[in-house]
Amino acid sequence: MTNPTENTRKADALIGEFKRQTAGRLTVFLGASPGVGKTYAMLSRGRELQRQGIDVLIGIVETHGRKETQALVDGLPCLPRKRVQYRSHQLEEMDLDALLARRPAIALVDEMAHRNAPGSRHERRWQDIEELLNAGIDVYTTVNVQHLESLNDVVYQITGIRVTETVPDTVFGRLRDIRLVDLPARELIERLNQGKVYLPEQAKKALQAFFSPSNLTALRELAMQTVADQVDSDLREARIARGIDSPSMQRRVLIAIDGRGQSEYLVRAGMRIAERRGVPWTVVTVVTGRQSFSAAAGKRPEKKAAPPSAEQSRQLEIDKAFALARRLGGDTEVLHNADVAQALLDASDARGVRTIVLGRTRERPIARAFNRTLTQRLLQRGARYELTIIGDARSAERARLSLPPTPNRLSRQEMLIVILTCIGATIAATLAERLFALDELSIIFLVAVVFVASYTRMICAVITALICFLVYDYIFIAPRFTLLISANQALVTVIMFLFAALLTGRLASKLRMQVIALRAANRHAVSIEKLGRALSTEQIWAR
């Protein structure tokens, strides 16, 4: 059955691919800040294309008095600028009408985020570029990462300066190619000091504000991430348009919650993972059809006649987790699928996710034995995804306390293991006797005792051994369905079985306790080692 979401994504990708092929194509030279050489790189590429016989025309270029840049301009045909009278000043802008009439194969248009003079046809230069693209003219342009609209708040947090000349990210939907023009922060500062970016007085002010080393380094990383995002998006859309499954190059994070006690903790933990990697993140929950859920848009569940209290608390927890995710800057979504694992994998594939964050689930022993737990299914089907399983402090404490169980009385889980194991051993012995005509069946019950001892305490192994002894005697030793034993050989067999079961159970339980003790000792040794390293570091600093 075809997935409607998948069809929509393919249709959008095909439309985008068609637009890119029929209209003009946009090439952006992206830099982390002014002075990295975007205009120089654009002009160099223009001269190279001109030598190949391609019609290249400069629509407008700002050299800012740089001799190296002006030397490249002199070798290319340049459109005369249009003079615009504004109050008592005469401003120069790109002559859009003349450029449309000239119709070069490639137009070089500098400073995409520039605000045009009042009275121009468009308020911003990126709007001029869009008109050129619609006319079928390829455009090469330059822009700094701080001018992208979606990054405006991020840049403000980094630099403390609110950029007002911005370019909407939708313009990048026309993108044919993006080229990162990079320059290390130290070299850029040297260029500033040498007067190659601004005049000396302007350069001094810039170094004290926007062009600090920390700001330049952060903006440089932001520019690299922007290029990586765009390349990843282009790759995914191009492959989807051709019907090819596309792996994502970006490590997006998907956080799956189920409303069973740790949803808000998962949201915060997953957000920190995404924040450290600098990638977007989404919180999802899966509705399997057995539930009615209304938290997708932050709504309260609809009132029913007598809703189960457990379901109400689950929905309330997911509502709170979704609200928390939106406050922290994440996206939220409700997925609908009878198969939880497949829903998470489909959502990950659609959003370019590489990391799936899950809570520690309560895995039933039978489901684990048949590889049917959520974690096992995700590991089997999602080989290309990174799976992160997180447990909160309370679940970790419960798991630690259960490793050896401390209460004297048997827990429900231990009782269930003992009962199911004894039933399974009885069924296996019955089938072995009827299908294979086996006479010696004690080994089957012996394996059952060892199994219980390896997963529980010695007391459970003893109880299992006694139950298996009684079942073995009652059902499989003549006379059957009594506790009497007619032959001396049979009497020796069941007594030896009882001793062997108790002995192997004790050995298996003892081995398990040793493994637990070794793990605890290893954790203790690691803690001591960390403490020693910390103390030695403090001593070094004290000296």
Side-chain angles (χ1 to χ4, degrees), residues 4 23 82 114 134 227 230 235 325 334 384 404 465 467 470 499 530:
K82 181 180 180 180
H114 171 77
N134 292 333
V227 173
Q230 192 61 47
L235 171 65
V334 174
R384 68 186 183 189
I467 293 175
L470 294 174
F499 279 110
K530 290 181 179 178

Side-chain angles (χ1 to χ4, degrees), residues 4 9 15 40 61 99 111 205 331 348 357 450 512:
R9 291 196 296 122
I15 292 171
Y40 188 92
V61 162
L99 189 54
E111 297 186 359
K205 293 180 181 179
D331 298 325
S348 301
V357 177
V450 173
R512 175 175 176 270

Side-chain angles (χ1 to χ4, degrees), residues 194-339:
Q194 294 169 3
K196 295 183 178 180
V197 180
Y198 297 127
L199 295 174
E201 292 184 1
Q202 292 178 315
K204 187 176 181 180
K205 293 180 181 179
L207 285 170
Q208 294 173 351
F210 191 85
F211 283 82
S212 67
S214 59
N215 286 353
L216 292 176
T217 301
L219 291 171
R220 188 184 180 202
E221 181 180 353
L222 195 60
M224 292 178 181
Q225 182 182 323
T226 301
V227 173
D229 291 349
Q230 192 61 47
V231 171
D232 178 74
S233 176
D234 288 347
L235 171 65
R236 192 164 60 252
E237 288 189 8
R239 291 176 69 90
I240 290 173
R242 291 165 175 79
I244 305 173
D245 187 26
S246 173
S248 174
M249 299 297 114
Q250 188 194 38
R251 300 176 68 85
R252 298 176 185 267
V253 174
L254 184 78
I255 304 166
I257 62 174
D258 58 5
R260 302 189 189 278
Q262 54 178 343
S263 299
E264 292 188 37
Y265 179 82
L266 274 177
V267 169
R268 294 188 180 94
M271 183 272 293
R272 289 194 295 270
I273 292 173
E275 221 174 36
R276 285 195 298 268
R277 300 175 181 182
V279 297
W281 52 286
T282 302
V283 179
V284 301
T285 189
V286 181
V287 177
T288 59
R290 298 186 293 271
Q291 319 146 356
S292 61
F293 190 75
S294 61
K299 299 177 182 178
R300 294 292 179 192
E302 296 178 0
K303 291 184 178 179
K304 296 183 178 180
S309 58
E311 184 64 19
Q312 279 185 330
S313 61
R314 176 180 173 274
Q315 292 189 11
L316 181 60
E317 180 182 332
I318 293 179
D319 280 343
K320 291 180 178 178
F322 273 15
L324 174 64
R326 286 189 287 266
R327 288 199 305 271
L328 295 176
D331 298 325
T332 59
E333 187 173 351
V334 174
L335 308 176
H336 295 268
N337 198 319
D339 189 337

Side-chain angles (χ1 to χ4, degrees), residues 169-189:
D169 291 55
T170 53
V171 179
F172 277 44
R174 314 290 294 272
L175 202 63
R176 175 202 183 191
D177 191 15
I178 184 168
R179 301 191 176 205
L180 177 64
V181 183
D182 188 35
L183 194 66
R186 187 173 299 175
E187 292 186 26
L188 181 57
I189 292 173

Side-chain angles (χ1 to χ4, degrees), residues 49 67 204 293 452 526:
L49 294 173
K67 296 179 181 179
K204 187 176 181 180
F293 190 75
V452 171
V526 170

Side-chain angles (χ1 to χ4, degrees), residues 5 60 108 122 138 144 148 160 193 253 257 263 287 300 311 319-320 435 449 489 491 493 513 518:
T5 305
I60 189 166
L108 307 183
H122 299 128
D138 290 354
N144 292 319
L148 298 183
N193 290 327
V253 174
I257 62 174
S263 299
V287 177
R300 294 292 179 192
E311 184 64 19
D319 280 343
K320 291 180 178 178
L435 298 179
V449 175
Q489 182 180 1
L491 177 62
T493 299
M513 296 301 295
L518 285 173

